[in-house]
Amino acid sequence: EPEVTQTPSHQVTQMGQEVILRCVPISNHLYFYWYRQILGQKVEFLVSFYNNEISEKSEIFDDQFSVERPDGSNFTLKIRSTKLEDSAMYFCASRREYSGNTIYFGEGSWLTVV
Amino acid sequence: DAKTTQPNSMESNEEEPVHLPCNHSTISGTDYIHWYRQLPSQGPEYVIHGLTSNVNNRMASLAIAEDRKSSTLILHRATLRDAAVYYCILRDVWRDDKIIFGKGTRLHILP
């Protein structure tokens, strides 16, 4: 069964450093998402992306965050200047064409900011 | 997304059926009922979804009340691997792109 794959599985970074989290969505999917989950809390929506542009973003997704689909296969989340409170599990997700289709999630990238 | 209400946690014995309830009294006509689960240290995983009729798949069954204001996810024979947080989510197929997760029900399976 096709999977959403994410790298790295775990990254430790210094506060203020830039981090890029990478995702390879399922190949025929057109809608892409990033979510995050702070330890012990709910899974929170960050951003959705379609047709090479952001379609929706949450209040969490401020100017420190950006997303990109640089080469038609990878989907990246960049955090420009990490803060301690960015420590969380970040999930990439994707789905096929029409609304209502199942959203498939990756295994997550655990980010620790020290 | 319309609001759903689930118990915070439930327990069940291994190899017994589990019925996970969800209330969604403000459901609209175009809201599908979706269930996802999150196993420990993993990403959310799709389980099942339905609109009006009961649904079955290899993972579970979904029983939907006639007035659609509640539903029940049924795991027919729970295993230790089914210990997870189960999320009941309403999605309007014409409007809702993303999924909004609540707190879900944490299901504990006792050996």
Side-chain angles (χ1 to χ4, degrees):
Chain A
E1 189 172 311
E3 290 183 336
V4 175
T5 58
Q6 292 185 239
T7 54
S9 56
H10 188 195
Q11 182 162 352
V12 180
T13 190
Q14 296 274 344
M15 191 169 54
Q17 295 296 304
E18 175 182 283
V19 162
I20 297 176
L21 304 178
R22 292 182 168 79
C23 169
V24 179
I26 296 172
S27 63
N28 62 348
H29 286 193
L30 300 177
Y31 295 79
F32 313 109
Y33 310 84
W34 283 100
Y35 285 75
R36 80 170 186 190
Q37 186 174 30
I38 296 170
L39 188 63
Q41 298 188 21
K42 296 188 301 184
V43 178
E44 301 174 288
F45 168 76
L46 291 179
V47 65
S48 57
F49 189 88
Y50 171 72
N51 200 25
N52 278 323
E53 59 183 26
I54 291 174
S55 46
E56 189 174 357
K57 59 183 180 179
S58 71
E59 290 179 356
I60 303 167
F61 194 89
D62 61 22
D63 291 343
Q64 293 298 315
F65 291 90
S66 63
V67 289
E68 197 177 37
R69 191 161 156 79
D71 56 11
S73 61
N74 292 290
F75 180 51
T76 62
L77 174 69
K78 182 191 291 185
I79 309 174
R80 288 191 184 84
S81 178
T82 50
K83 304 188 280 280
L84 294 176
E85 53 265 39
D86 293 327
S87 295
M89 181 74 90
Y90 289 82
F91 296 109
C92 175
S94 68
R95 69 170 176 86
R96 287 190 305 164
E97 190 171 346
Y98 67 89
S99 187
N101 261 337
T102 301
I103 295 180
Y104 294 87
F105 288 79
E107 294 298 308
S109 292
W110 181 249
L111 176 65
T112 303
V113 182
V114 296
Chain B
D1 298 84
K3 186 174 173 59
T4 62
T5 305
Q6 301 177 252
N8 288 333
S9 67
M10 291 182 63
E11 270 186 5
S12 180
N13 294 319
E14 194 178 10
E15 299 186 5
E16 290 186 358
V18 181
H19 291 236
L20 295 159
C22 181
N23 288 318
H24 28 78
S25 58
T26 60
I27 191 170
S28 73
T30 51
D31 282 331
Y32 275 74
I33 302 157
H34 289 247
W35 284 82
Y36 278 73
R37 72 178 184 179
Q38 187 176 19
L39 302 172
S41 302
Q42 295 192 26
E45 173 187 34
Y46 168 79
V47 178
I48 199 167
H49 76 281
L51 183 62
T52 55
S53 304
N54 295 344
V55 185
N56 299 296
N57 67 20
R58 63 177 177 83
M59 290 181 71
S61 295
L62 176 60
I64 301 172
E66 199 168 330
D67 63 4
R68 300 211 320 128
K69 293 186 177 181
S70 66
S71 60
T72 303
L73 180 71
I74 302 165
L75 307 179
H76 294 285
R77 193 167 167 270
T79 68
L80 295 177
R81 197 193 172 275
D82 292 319
V85 179
Y86 287 79
Y87 301 98
C88 171
I89 298 157
L90 301 185
R91 289 179 73 200
D92 183 324
V93 297
W94 303 112
R95 290 184 307 128
D96 293 335
D97 177 22
K98 63 189 183 295
I99 290 174
I100 297 297
F101 290 91
K103 294 183 180 179
T105 297
R106 183 172 295 278
L107 176 64
H108 301 273
I109 304 295
L110 305 175

